[in-house]
Coordinates of all heavy atoms in Angstrom, one line a residue:
E1 N 0.8 -1.2 0.0 CA 0.0 0.0 0.0 C 0.8 1.3 0.0 O 0.6 2.2 -0.8 CB -0.9 0.0 1.2 CG -1.9 1.1 1.3 CD -2.8 0.9 2.5 OE1 -2.4 1.2 3.6 OE2 -3.9 0.3 2.4
D2 N 1.8 1.4 0.9 CA 2.6 2.6 0.9 C 3.4 2.8 -0.3 O 3.5 4.0 -0.8 CB 3.6 2.5 2.2 CG 2.8 2.6 3.5 OD1 1.7 3.1 3.5 OD2 3.3 2.1 4.5
A3 N 4.0 1.8 -0.9 CA 4.8 2.0 -2.1 C 3.9 2.4 -3.2 O 4.2 3.4 -4.0 CB 5.5 0.7 -2.5
L4 N 2.8 1.9 -3.3 CA 1.8 2.3 -4.4 C 1.3 3.7 -4.1 O 1.1 4.5 -5.1 CB 0.6 1.3 -4.4 CG 1.0 -0.1 -5.0 CD1 -0.2 -1.1 -4.8 CD2 1.3 0.1 -6.5
A5 N 1.1 4.1 -2.9 CA 0.6 5.5 -2.6 C 1.7 6.4 -3.0 O 1.3 7.5 -3.8 CB 0.3 5.6 -1.1
R6 N 3.0 6.2 -2.8 CA 4.0 7.0 -3.2 C 4.1 7.1 -4.8 O 4.2 8.2 -5.4 CB 5.3 6.5 -2.7 CG 5.5 7.0 -1.2 CD 7.0 6.7 -0.8 NE 7.4 5.3 -0.9 CZ 7.1 4.3 -0.1 NH1 6.5 4.6 1.0 NH2 7.6 3.1 -0.3
R7 N 4.0 5.9 -5.4 CA 4.1 5.9 -6.9 C 3.0 6.7 -7.6 O 3.1 7.4 -8.6 CB 4.0 4.5 -7.3 CG 4.1 4.3 -8.8 CD 4.1 2.8 -9.3 NE 4.1 2.7 -10.6 CZ 3.9 1.5 -11.3 NH1 3.9 0.4 -10.5 NH2 3.9 1.5 -12.5
F8 N 1.7 6.7 -7.0 CA 0.6 7.4 -7.7 C 0.2 8.6 -7.0 O -0.9 9.2 -7.3 CB -0.5 6.4 -7.9 CG -0.1 5.2 -8.8 CD1 0.0 3.9 -8.2 CD2 0.1 5.4 -10.0 CE1 0.4 2.9 -9.1 CE2 0.5 4.4 -10.9 CZ 0.6 3.1 -10.4
G9 N 0.9 9.1 -6.0 CA 0.6 10.3 -5.3 C -0.7 10.3 -4.4 O -1.2 11.4 -4.2
V10 N -1.0 9.2 -3.9 CA -2.1 9.0 -3.1 C -1.7 9.6 -1.7 O -0.7 9.3 -1.1 CB -2.5 7.5 -2.9 CG1 -3.6 7.4 -1.9 CG2 -3.0 7.0 -4.3
Q11 N -2.6 10.5 -1.2 CA -2.4 11.1 0.1 C -3.6 11.0 1.0 O -3.6 11.5 2.2 CB -2.1 12.6 -0.2 CG -0.8 12.8 -0.9 CD -0.5 14.3 -1.1 OE1 -1.0 15.1 -0.4 NE2 0.4 14.6 -1.9
R12 N -4.6 10.3 0.5 CA -5.8 10.2 1.4 C -6.4 8.7 1.2 O -6.4 8.3 0.1 CB -6.8 11.1 0.9 CG -8.0 11.3 1.7 CD -8.9 12.5 1.4 NE -10.3 12.3 1.9 CZ -11.4 12.7 1.3 NH1 -11.3 13.4 0.1 NH2 -12.5 12.5 1.8
W13 N -6.9 8.2 2.2 CA -7.3 6.8 2.2 C -8.9 6.9 2.6 O -9.2 7.6 3.4 CB -6.6 5.9 3.2 CG -5.4 5.4 2.7 CD1 -5.1 4.2 2.3 CD2 -4.1 6.1 2.6 NE1 -3.8 4.1 1.9 CE2 -3.2 5.2 2.1 CE3 -3.7 7.4 2.8 CZ2 -1.8 5.5 1.8 CZ3 -2.4 7.7 2.6 CH2 -1.5 6.9 2.1
P14 N -9.7 6.0 2.0 CA -9.3 5.0 0.9 C -9.2 5.8 -0.4 O -9.8 6.9 -0.6 CB -10.5 4.1 0.9 CG -11.7 5.0 1.3 CD -11.1 5.9 2.4
S15 N -8.5 5.2 -1.4 CA -8.4 5.8 -2.7 C -8.4 4.7 -3.7 O -8.0 3.6 -3.5 CB -7.0 6.5 -2.8 OG -6.9 7.7 -2.2
I16 N -9.0 5.0 -4.8 CA -9.2 4.1 -5.9 C -8.3 4.8 -7.1 O -8.6 5.8 -7.5 CB -10.7 3.9 -6.5 CG1 -11.5 3.4 -5.3 CG2 -10.7 3.0 -7.6 CD1 -13.0 3.5 -5.6
V17 N -7.3 4.0 -7.5 CA -6.4 4.4 -8.5 C -6.8 3.7 -9.8 O -7.0 2.6 -9.9 CB -5.0 4.1 -8.1 CG1 -4.0 4.5 -9.3 CG2 -4.5 4.8 -6.9
F18 N -7.0 4.6 -10.8 CA -7.4 4.0 -12.2 C -6.1 4.0 -13.1 O -5.5 5.0 -13.2 CB -8.4 4.9 -12.8 CG -9.8 4.8 -12.2 CD1 -10.1 5.5 -11.0 CD2 -10.8 4.0 -12.7 CE1 -11.3 5.4 -10.4 CE2 -12.0 3.8 -12.1 CZ -12.2 4.5 -10.9
L19 N -5.9 2.9 -13.7 CA -4.7 2.7 -14.6 C -5.3 2.1 -15.8 O -6.3 1.5 -15.9 CB -3.7 1.7 -14.1 CG -3.2 1.9 -12.7 CD1 -2.3 0.8 -12.2 CD2 -2.4 3.2 -12.6
R20 N -4.6 2.5 -16.9 CA -5.0 1.9 -18.3 C -3.7 1.5 -18.9 O -2.8 2.3 -19.1 CB -5.7 3.0 -19.1 CG -6.2 2.3 -20.5 CD -7.0 3.3 -21.2 NE -8.2 3.8 -20.6 CZ -8.3 5.2 -20.2 NH1 -7.5 6.0 -20.5 NH2 -9.4 5.5 -19.6
D21 N -3.5 0.2 -19.2 CA -2.4 -0.4 -19.8 C -1.1 0.0 -19.0 O -0.1 0.3 -19.6 CB -2.2 0.1 -21.3 CG -3.4 -0.4 -22.1 OD1 -3.9 -1.5 -21.9 OD2 -3.8 0.3 -23.0
G22 N -1.3 0.0 -17.7 CA -0.1 0.3 -16.8 C 0.1 1.8 -16.6 O 0.8 2.2 -15.7
G23 N -0.5 2.7 -17.3 CA -0.4 4.0 -17.2 C -1.4 4.8 -16.2 O -2.5 4.3 -16.2
Y24 N -1.1 5.8 -15.6 CA -2.0 6.4 -14.5 C -3.1 7.2 -15.3 O -2.8 7.8 -16.3 CB -1.1 7.4 -13.7 CG -2.0 8.2 -12.8 CD1 -2.4 7.7 -11.6 CD2 -2.5 9.4 -13.1 CE1 -3.2 8.4 -10.7 CE2 -3.2 10.2 -12.3 CZ -3.7 9.7 -11.1 OH -4.4 10.4 -10.3
V25 N -4.3 7.1 -14.8 CA -5.4 7.8 -15.3 C -6.0 8.8 -14.3 O -6.2 9.9 -14.6 CB -6.5 6.8 -15.9 CG1 -7.8 7.6 -16.3 CG2 -6.0 5.9 -16.9
A26 N -6.3 8.3 -13.1 CA -7.0 9.1 -12.1 C -7.1 8.5 -10.8 O -6.8 7.3 -10.6 CB -8.5 9.4 -12.6
T27 N -7.3 9.2 -9.7 CA -7.4 8.8 -8.4 C -8.8 9.3 -7.9 O -9.0 10.6 -8.0 CB -6.3 9.2 -7.4 OG1 -5.0 8.7 -7.9 CG2 -6.5 8.7 -6.1
V28 N -9.5 8.5 -7.2 CA -10.7 8.9 -6.6 C -10.5 8.6 -5.0 O -10.3 7.5 -4.7 CB -11.9 8.2 -7.0 CG1 -13.2 8.6 -6.2 CG2 -12.2 8.5 -8.5
S29 N -10.5 9.7 -4.2 CA -10.2 9.5 -2.8 C -11.3 9.7 -1.9 O -12.1 10.6 -2.1 CB -9.0 10.4 -2.4 OG -7.9 10.1 -3.1
G30 N -11.3 9.0 -0.8 CA -12.3 9.1 0.3 C -13.6 8.4 0.0 O -13.8 7.7 -1.0
M31 N -14.4 8.3 1.1 CA -15.7 7.7 0.9 C -16.6 8.7 0.4 O -16.8 9.8 1.0 CB -16.2 7.1 2.3 CG -15.4 5.9 2.7 SD -15.3 4.5 1.7 CE -17.1 4.0 1.6
L32 N -17.3 8.4 -0.7 CA -18.2 9.4 -1.3 C -19.6 8.9 -1.4 O -19.9 7.7 -1.2 CB -17.8 9.6 -2.7 CG -16.3 10.0 -3.0 CD1 -16.0 10.1 -4.5 CD2 -16.0 11.3 -2.3
A33 N -20.5 9.8 -1.7 CA -21.9 9.4 -1.9 C -22.0 8.6 -3.2 O -21.1 8.9 -4.1 CB -22.8 10.7 -2.1

């Protein structure tokens, strides 16, 4: 978890990181409606 957070710039938990073909697309952080 920590290594992935550093790699993708995650600073808030929980986070969903979206990748496409191994490349970064987006992060959705926190519990949302």
